[in-house]
Amino acid sequence: MEDNEVKSKKVYLSNYGCQMNVRDSEVICGLLKDSGYKICSDEKQADVIIFNTCSVRQHAEDRVWSQIGAFKKTGTVKRKRNLRDSPQETGTVPIIGIVGCMAKNYAEKIFERSPDVDFAVGPQDIDKIPDILSRLSRNKEQSPKSGDSPLFQSKIWETDGQIRPDEIYHNNFYQDKEHAYLVISEGCSNFCSYCVVPYVRGGLRHRKVENILREAQGAIAQGITRITLLGQNVNAYQNGDIDFSGLLQRLDKIDGLKQINFFTSHPKDADPDFFKVIRDSQKLVKSLHLPLQSGSDKILKLMNRGYSAKEYLALIDSYRKIVKGGLLTSDIIVGFPGESEDDFSRTFELVNKAEFNAAYIFKYSPRPHTEALKMADDVERADKEKRHARLLELQRGISNKKNAKRR
Ligand code: SAH
Ligand code: SF4
Ligand code: F3S
């Protein structure tokens, strides 16, 4: 496509999932802007609609399908069949893409579920999006999808990439004027038995220290003063002989950077030394997100978490002693396969004791590829709901009490 043709194209991007996806969406917008596209906030005006998706729970995927359905109802997304019937409508039908974790999870099966989707791009292939769009636009202009062509003929999917070129992080597109997310590691190799992330994001890869520092400096030159370091397990960061603490020491020294946060940590890689790093860093926010997942040793083992309830309690005790007044938040899953009332009451008791400032509580959702998928999803839906509601209520009370104290 000629550059001036691209320039008139508008892209609407809808984001789902974790902070990693928020950052990926910025990266995609940055790449597209560099290729001449305009980012727009009204899907009705868009020539290209991109869904950056999440597969962590069924609910996350359902939201994307229902959004596509809703766009269809409002006429934003038209059935491609219309296009075959009346090819003169080419210009009015936007190109639609599903990118991110769902694209990796389903690859070309996406098009069977929704023939309206034109392309699917996995998280490790997002650098290819500008090229894919220009290929799709060319195809559209030369030969509108012909009625007798098989479904896949006009589709593009790129989902097998292994690594991202580091350059994609340096285009300096940030949604916020003062705050930026900064990826320090990609993927995850922990294989918690319920979790799809290692399958959709690949194994753990650490970015190079010099690249992280260069990105931070670029962001700060644009006026950013606060940074949140991102990784599925940031405290396991290692690049050569530089670990998370070494990385923080280097970030601490950057002029103009006022505050650093980080997300997420894994209990099996957290220890008192790590807490001392949090205590001693000048710029780190004194806050730790340390997902518990369950308070039952039996369930923790089935989840492949690598710690016991007792070890978890000892860990947070140590955190609170070292990082005085530090905030503590967590994630918990209820209704994991085999979770009995007794297992749940152990979680309930631990949450009661732990006194998190906040906790996200999720109902177990069986995911493709995972080990837990082989176990029977045997906790009745009604029990999952009940346990979810009981924990939410407990945590709400604790959060209120803690917040009142902090005021
Ligand atoms: N890497 C991070 C978080 C990944 S996903 C970590 O390990 O903490 C965020 C949260 O979603 C997880 O902590 C877990 O509580 C929840 N989660 C992941 N898979 C799930 C599933 N299959 N069903 C329900 N909740 C799930
Ligand atoms: Fe998933 Fe576990 Fe990795 Fe977190 S640590 S992303 S829960 S496999
Ligand atoms: Fe979802 Fe992918 Fe993040 S599955 S939680 S968007 S890593």
Side-chain angles (χ1 to χ4, degrees):
M1 194 168 6
E2 292 301 316
D3 203 34
N4 54 359
E5 279 177 60
V6 169
K7 276 204 175 84
S8 59
K9 305 260 180 211
K10 294 197 192 85
V11 180
Y12 173 83
L13 196 151
S14 178
N15 187 70
Y16 301 79
C18 63
Q19 284 94 336
M20 198 66 88
N21 257 20
V22 175
R23 179 63 187 134
D24 288 357
S25 286
E26 288 179 338
V27 165
I28 295 167
C29 288
L31 290 172
L32 289 175
K33 278 187 82 170
D34 286 352
S35 304
Y37 290 85
K38 285 202 176 83
I39 310 301
C40 72
S41 54
D42 178 5
E43 73 273 2
K44 290 190 194 69
Q45 305 277 313
D47 302 293
V48 181
I49 295 180
I50 297 178
F51 297 88
N52 191 16
T53 60
C54 172
S55 277
V56 81
R57 284 170 290 277
Q58 185 61 48
H59 178 64
E61 296 189 350
D62 293 344
R63 283 177 56 213
V64 171
W65 296 124
S66 81
Q67 191 61 63
I68 295 179
F71 280 0
K72 225 149 115 184
K73 267 195 194 141
T74 58
T76 307
V77 172
K78 293 190 182 138
R79 279 202 73 79
K80 300 291 170 191
R81 204 164 357 98
N82 296 346
L83 202 139
R84 291 181 197 138
D85 297 343
S86 47
Q88 67 275 15
E89 276 192 46
T90 310
T92 66
V93 180
I95 292 174
I96 296 153
I98 289 194
V99 313
C101 297
M102 263 172 88
K104 175 73 187 166
N105 208 4
Y106 296 104
E108 69 271 28
K109 291 197 187 77
I110 294 250
F111 310 123
E112 286 167 10
R113 170 88 189 243
S114 177
D116 297 301
V117 177
D118 296 289
F119 70 97
V121 170
Q124 280 74 255
D125 297 277
I126 55 176
D127 57 301
K128 302 178 183 122
I129 293 176
D131 179 54
I132 288 174
L133 284 184
S134 103
R135 275 156 65 200
L136 278 168
S137 302
R138 262 202 306 266
N139 273 350
K140 258 190 165 171
E141 276 140 31
Q142 284 158 12
S143 59
K145 298 160 206 245
S146 71
D148 53 7
S149 67
L151 175 65
F152 295 139
Q153 203 169 306
S154 55
K155 313 286 186 192
I156 298 182
W157 64 101
E158 288 281 356
T159 55
D160 292 327
Q162 301 295 316
I163 36 168
R164 300 167 159 191
D166 201 82
E167 265 325 296
I168 63 167
Y169 288 112
H170 301 279
N171 57 40
N172 290 345
F173 181 94
Y174 301 104
Q175 277 176 349
D176 196 288
K177 285 196 172 63
E178 285 163 21
H179 171 263
Y181 286 115
L182 209 175
V183 174
I184 64 166
S185 57
E186 300 164 348
C188 183
S189 299
N190 284 329
F191 293 97
C192 302
S193 65
Y194 50 80
C195 185
V196 78
V197 172
Y199 302 95
V200 289
R201 292 269 171 174
L204 179 67
R205 285 107 48 205
H206 304 288
R207 284 183 70 202
K208 285 195 175 129
V209 173
E210 61 261 34
N211 288 336
I212 295 171
L213 296 178
R214 176 158 74 94
E215 190 182 338
Q217 264 143 355
I220 288 152
Q222 277 196 200
I224 298 286
T225 56
R226 295 180 292 119
I227 279 181
T228 300
L229 306 177
L230 291 183
Q232 300 299 343
N233 184 0
V234 290
N235 49 337
Y237 180 81
Q238 192 75 48
N239 179 230
D241 54 4
I242 298 170
D243 60 4
F244 189 58
S245 144
L247 177 66
L248 280 176
Q249 281 160 10
R250 284 162 178 79
L251 286 165
D252 259 350
K253 286 197 194 110
I254 299 184
D255 283 340
L257 176 56
K258 295 195 177 126
Q259 197 186 74
I260 309 170
N261 218 327
F262 62 100
F263 204 79
T264 300
S265 312
H266 194 299
K268 77 175 169 53
D269 297 307
D271 59 16
D273 284 342
F274 173 55
F275 303 147
K276 284 177 193 152
V277 170
I278 303 178
R279 181 192 64 193
D280 297 338
S281 161
Q282 295 157 29
K283 294 177 181 169
L284 259 195
V285 174
K286 309 302 175 209
S287 173
L288 179 67
H289 185 69
L290 200 65
L292 162 68
Q293 312 299 5
S294 170
S296 152
D297 288 345
K298 179 188 100 187
I299 299 297
L300 284 171
K301 197 147 195 247
L302 286 174
M303 287 176 161
N304 190 31
R305 287 293 288 178
Y307 53 86
S308 67
K310 208 168 145 196
E311 282 163 348
Y312 185 90
L313 269 177
L315 204 57
I316 62 173
D317 190 44
S318 149
Y319 168 72
R320 286 190 165 125
K321 282 194 178 114
I322 295 170
V323 187
K324 297 243 158 44
L327 298 183
L328 184 66
T329 56
S330 200
D331 290 346
I332 291 137
I333 299 175
V334 296
F336 185 83
E339 186 188 73
S340 63
E341 274 301 327
D342 177 61
D343 294 315
F344 173 71
S345 64
R346 286 167 199 264
T347 303
F348 191 89
E349 277 318 307
L350 210 158
V351 170
N352 198 20
K353 249 192 229 158
E355 298 207 321
F356 300 118
N357 295 88
Y360 298 94
I361 297 154
F362 305 106
K363 285 171 265 182
Y364 170 70
S365 168
R367 302 316 291 137
H369 317 295
T370 62
E371 275 303 302
L373 190 67
K374 298 176 192 152
M375 308 172 197
D377 181 17
D378 55 0
V379 179
E380 296 287 333
R381 202 183 161 144
D383 287 327
K384 277 187 195 169
E385 305 275 355
K386 227 188 296 171
R387 291 173 193 177
H388 185 247
R390 282 190 59 200
L391 265 192
L392 270 184
E393 195 194 333
L394 171 68
Q395 184 55 46
R396 201 170 292 137
I398 297 171
S399 299
N400 288 343
K401 191 176 86 182
K402 291 238 154 202
N403 289 342
K405 262 194 206 155
R406 282 166 51 82
R407 268 187 214 122

